[in-house]
Amino acid sequence: MEERVPTSELRTPAWLTEAPADALDPQEPDEQAAGEDPDDVPEWAKEDGSPYTPTYDPAPRPGDPDYVDDDDPDAAGPDPNTVADEAAEADADGEPGRGAGDAGPSVPSVADAEETAVLEPVVLEPVGPDSAEGPDDDAPLADTAVLPPVGDEAGDAEAADAEPAEAEVDERPVVARSSVLGGAAAGAASASQPTADASSSEVAGEAPPSAEANAETSTAAPWADAAAPAASPPASPDRSEHGAAASDATGARETGDHAARPRRKGRWAIVPLAIVALGVLYVGAQALLSGTVPRETESLGVSIGGMSAAEATGALGDLGDAVASEDLVLETSGLSYTTTAAAAGLAVDADATVDQVTGFTLAPQRLWMHVSGGGHIEPVVTVDQEALDATVAEAAQEVDGPGVDASVSIEGESVEVIPGRPAVEVDQAASAQLVAAAWPGFRTVALVADVMEPDITDADAESFAQTIDQQYLAGPVTLVGDDVETTVEPATVASHATVVTGPNGLELEIDGAALAAQMVADDPELATEGESASVTFDDDHEIVIDEGRPGITIDGDALADVIVAAASAPDRSGELPYTAAEAEVSPEDLGIPDLKEVVASFNTPLTADRVRTQNLRTAAADVQGTVLLPGDEFNLYEVLSPITAEEGYGDAPVIVDGVLTAGLGGGLSQMATTTYNAAYFAGFELLQHRPHSVWFARYPAGRESTLWGSTINVRFVNNTPYAAVINSYTDGGSLHVDVWSTPHFEVETSASPKTNVTQPGTKEVRSANCEAKGPGQPGFTITNTRVVTLDGEEVDRNVDTWTYQPDDAIRCVSEDEQDDDSDDS
């Protein structure tokens, strides 16, 4: 009947670890005593019965690591005798944990067990007395168990002293079918062989480490066929042949090796002392070098290797101050702001920088730096955040702004690019962090900003400037007309050219009209002048209209495009554009279409004074041909000025302060009165006039005017929608004023009766230029009313009341006569 034993309860019986007395080391009585105590033999070993013999499968199957193909001469396994010899040599080295009676690989130590906490399960196959042929391949596998982690020595001792959990468990050794393990667990997988060392026996008794749970990978133990020496310990009469051979071989090795070679514990005693000595040297070296900068150490571009901490701090402190005073440039997209690191609140902390490579530490890297060199160390930077934020804010104020397109300017024949700028918005918080992280390694720092390039970049402007310089202004262009040819120089074109921004980018704009005018001025044969329109009057005082004729000149509107096209042509030539040249005065300037008929006319009689009449003829010539377009104002004084002898005016009688005297331009008040009445009946808007102080019977009472500079003047406005022209002349003993236009208003006038009539008297005048005269007209008050209608509706009403003074007789009195009159009185 098959019995399955949990591997956690397998223990190596003490009788298997017993070694012959002559095999024990006389210098280790503890180990010898452990093998001689008869009480260590368990009760079940003393009972009669078949021994529990470990078995193995002598025939590996295909696929096992130790499988050997008989037909392959190169696949023969190792010689069993060689394997046994190698095992004996391993035992002779005195490995710790091996004792008398060891026949195979040693049981793993506690240290090995600590590295292998969980062991692979072992497949157990109990072998009966009749199983010499090997186990049945079809038999079911035994139960498996996972061993717990092996603890310290105390735990191992407790486990060794503990009684088996079940009395019926057979404590005889078993052989695992697979002993292939890794690391320290490989040795534990063969712990079925007895050991003489007490502690090893306890560890092995915890539970034999198991192999992979694949029974088909097992191989025969290499020591199974070793020859047993005569000094092997006595075995049970029921033990199998294989068990006896293994035991004898183990005894022989233990007896020969351990008896001839004593244990070597002395050499292990010096290891702790060496470690302590090395530690003292290491700490001393670190302490000795703690105040010195490692060799070949550099910071801020200056070598500080080998300096003391104080020397290095002083050197870096001076250099840090100098670096902080240098320019710090904050820039983005070609826009920059310059300050200093010190102003931005940045400084080098020399003490903290040197502390990185000095001061006591146990870190091995520091000691290695003294050996291999410290290399570059980054300086420690202190940051005044408030000052840094203020500096970045100033930089943002300098570079922030909307985008501006680049452009091109033309000065003379020089073409220059006017740079634009992108739209920039600085991220001040991120920029401040970047500046603090970059300095002092970088003295120019790119600000963190949202940047949007303008529609026209500097590159676009430079490309267009190159086109202007190498094409449009590269040389003269030739323009050919019907009978003329002209050359336009680049300087002439440049003086009238500008660069503007169009819908498609930069464009060259040429003022064609100005260029054409300059070309004609430089070469008058390029154009013919037109004849201006005019309005004159014939001898019958009828209107004569000449609409004039246009000339021929260069078409300024087309000239710009022609210049550009000619500059782009291979031969740099083109056709000269012509157009009709407007006359200086066009028919429209004169309102000729509106001058259809006389819409108002008035005349006043001339006197017998020859000079006075001449003055009126001169004035009539000045007034004749005056054109009033709709809304134009007529100003008589401005039309007649200057009133000088050079203009044809002479001295004639005038009234000054009530006294008739001679004056330059005398008689012009008659021109004022006649012109005023013509405007009165044309329906024009009356702005200014003033009647004489005394009434002259040749003028309508209250509807006349005098003239004295700009103070007393005649002014009115053409308030019709048509142009008008005034004709004035002397004919038939009268002064005439006609208004030519298109009929528009209807005018009616009326005068009130004369009231407040006052008869004239005699007035004595004491003046060298006094001229005596008889009494004139009496004084009176009169009112004139004008009603203006348009299509039967009244549009204006003027009511004008005036009071005349009586025209007294003038009696010139001398000084003698005045004295006589005084005596008479």
Side-chain angles (χ1 to χ4, degrees), residues 242-309:
H242 295 288
S247 177
D248 292 344
T250 301
R253 286 192 300 272
E254 291 297 330
T255 303
D257 295 342
H258 287 276
R261 183 179 300 173
R263 294 281 185 158
R264 292 177 290 177
K265 290 187 177 181
R267 67 177 182 178
W268 298 105
I270 66 174
V271 173
L273 296 177
I275 293 176
V276 172
L278 289 175
V280 171
L281 291 175
Y282 178 81
V283 173
Q286 290 281 33
L288 179 64
L289 298 173
S290 62
T292 304
V293 177
R295 69 185 188 88
E296 297 182 6
T297 300
E298 167 272 324
S299 184
L300 289 178
V302 64
S303 176
I304 58 174
M307 294 184 181
S308 66

Side-chain angles (χ1 to χ4, degrees), residues 651-664 764-773 810-815:
D651 291 334
V654 295
I655 300 176
V656 179
D657 294 333
V659 177
L660 183 63
T661 60
L664 184 65
E764 294 181 351
V765 176
R766 294 175 177 85
S767 176
N769 58 351
C770 176
E771 294 185 7
K773 75 176 190 67
I810 300 297
R811 177 175 178 266
C812 297
V813 178
S814 64
E815 294 295 334

Side-chain angles (χ1 to χ4, degrees), residues 699-755:
Y699 304 144
R703 208 177 68 226
E704 48 89 12
S705 181
T706 186
L707 182 67
W708 185 257
S710 61
T711 303
I712 302 175
N713 196 6
V714 174
R715 296 169 48 237
F716 54 84
V717 173
N718 177 10
N719 57 345
T720 72
Y722 306 106
V725 63
I726 300 175
N727 183 28
S728 181
Y729 53 93
T730 60
D731 186 27
S734 297
L735 175 64
H736 298 265
V737 174
D738 299 336
V739 177
W740 289 77
S741 184
T742 298
H744 185 64
F745 293 122
E746 296 178 357
V747 177
E748 295 181 359
T749 185
S750 63
S752 69
K754 298 175 182 178
T755 61

Side-chain angles (χ1 to χ4, degrees), residues 156-489:
D156 295 339
E158 293 174 2
D161 296 335
E163 291 295 330
E166 298 181 10
E168 68 276 14
V169 174
D170 191 345
E171 294 184 351
R172 287 171 294 179
V174 297
V175 175
R177 296 190 64 186
S178 175
S179 61
V180 181
L181 298 175
S190 304
S192 59
Q193 297 300 320
T195 61
D197 185 64
S199 62
S200 298
S201 299
E202 292 173 356
V203 173
E206 292 276 331
S210 64
E212 298 285 346
N214 184 0
E216 296 181 358
T217 63
S218 64
T219 59
W223 63 83
D225 297 332
S232 61
S236 172
D238 296 329
R239 291 173 62 186
S240 66
E241 177 183 352
H242 295 288
S247 177
D248 292 344
T250 301
R253 286 192 300 272
E254 291 297 330
T255 303
D257 295 342
H258 287 276
R261 183 179 300 173
R263 294 281 185 158
R264 292 177 290 177
K265 290 187 177 181
R267 67 177 182 178
W268 298 105
I270 66 174
V271 173
L273 296 177
I275 293 176
V276 172
L278 289 175
V280 171
L281 291 175
Y282 178 81
V283 173
Q286 290 281 33
L288 179 64
L289 298 173
S290 62
T292 304
V293 177
R295 69 185 188 88
E296 297 182 6
T297 300
E298 167 272 324
S299 184
L300 289 178
V302 64
S303 176
I304 58 174
M307 294 184 181
S308 66
E311 292 173 342
T313 299
L316 290 183
D318 295 340
L319 183 58
D321 293 341
V323 171
S325 64
E326 295 179 359
D327 285 347
L328 174 64
V329 180
L330 309 180
E331 59 88 21
T332 180
S333 301
L335 306 172
S336 63
Y337 173 81
T338 302
T339 182
T340 63
L346 303 175
V348 174
D349 189 339
D351 291 331
T353 302
V354 174
D355 286 347
Q356 296 179 97
V357 292
T358 58
F360 180 76
T361 179
L362 293 178
Q365 295 89 341
R366 178 70 59 78
L367 191 59
W368 180 248
M369 291 173 68
H370 283 278
V371 175
S372 63
H376 173 76
I377 59 172
E378 290 294 333
V380 177
V381 177
T382 61
V383 180
D384 183 342
Q385 195 63 47
E386 183 176 351
L388 179 58
D389 291 343
T391 298
V392 173
E394 292 176 2
Q397 186 176 4
E398 185 75 17
V399 302
D400 279 357
V404 177
D405 289 337
S407 184
V408 175
S409 67
I410 301 176
E411 299 293 339
E413 295 185 50
S414 175
V415 181
E416 296 182 358
V417 173
I418 302 175
R421 58 155 291 162
V424 177
E425 183 177 358
V426 174
D427 185 338
Q428 298 186 24
S431 295
Q433 294 179 358
L434 180 61
V435 172
W439 189 86
F442 295 90
R443 314 293 168 81
T444 298
V445 181
L447 296 170
V448 180
D450 292 331
V451 179
M452 181 178 293
E453 292 295 329
D455 295 335
I456 301 175
T457 64
D458 292 354
D460 297 334
E462 290 173 358
S463 176
F464 190 72
Q466 187 176 12
T467 299
I468 294 175
D469 193 46
Q470 298 181 1
Q471 180 176 333
Y472 300 134
L473 302 182
V477 295
T478 301
L479 302 180
V480 180
D482 293 338
D483 299 320
V484 69
E485 179 179 310
T486 184
T487 300
V488 184
E489 296 295 331

Side-chain angles (χ1 to χ4, degrees), residues 518-578:
Q518 182 175 347
M519 292 172 62
V520 171
D522 295 341
D523 186 0
E525 294 183 359
L526 296 176
T528 59
E529 294 182 0
E531 296 180 4
S532 296
S534 63
V535 175
T536 59
F537 298 91
D538 59 16
D539 294 341
D540 295 331
H541 313 298
E542 294 295 324
I543 191 168
V544 178
I545 296 176
D546 183 357
E547 294 186 355
R549 284 168 297 280
I552 298 176
T553 189
I554 300 174
D555 186 355
D557 295 336
L559 182 60
D561 293 337
V562 171
I563 291 290
V564 172
S568 303
D571 58 354
R572 299 186 67 83
S573 65
E575 183 179 352
L576 182 64
Y578 279 113

Side-chain angles (χ1 to χ4, degrees), residues 456 464 468 472 498-510:
I456 301 175
F464 190 72
I468 294 175
Y472 300 134
T498 57
V499 176
V500 298
T501 302
N504 298 322
L506 295 177
E507 299 176 355
L508 181 65
E509 184 177 86
I510 299 176

Side-chain angles (χ1 to χ4, degrees), residues 20-196:
D22 56 351
L24 296 178
D25 190 343
Q27 298 179 3
E28 298 180 5
D30 294 338
E31 295 182 5
Q32 183 179 4
E36 293 178 351
D37 190 355
D39 295 335
D40 290 342
V41 179
E43 293 297 331
W44 63 268
K46 301 176 182 180
E47 298 176 358
D48 296 332
S50 299
Y52 190 86
T53 305
T55 65
Y56 61 95
D57 187 355
R61 297 180 177 84
D64 291 344
D66 298 328
Y67 175 74
V68 178
D69 189 354
D70 296 337
D71 296 332
D72 186 359
D74 296 332
D79 183 44
N81 295 330
T82 304
V83 174
D85 293 340
E86 291 175 355
E89 291 176 2
D91 293 339
D93 292 337
E95 296 176 2
R98 297 286 299 271
D102 288 350
S106 64
V107 176
S109 65
V110 175
D112 295 331
E114 290 176 352
E115 294 181 2
T116 307
V118 179
L119 303 180
E120 297 293 340
V122 177
V123 179
L124 306 179
E125 294 185 1
V127 180
D130 299 330
S131 59
E133 296 295 331
D136 186 1
D137 293 340
D138 296 331
L141 297 177
D143 290 341
T144 62
V146 178
L147 299 182
V150 179
D152 53 14
E153 295 181 359
D156 295 339
E158 293 174 2
D161 296 335
E163 291 295 330
E166 298 181 10
E168 68 276 14
V169 174
D170 191 345
E171 294 184 351
R172 287 171 294 179
V174 297
V175 175
R177 296 190 64 186
S178 175
S179 61
V180 181
L181 298 175
S190 304
S192 59
Q193 297 300 320
T195 61

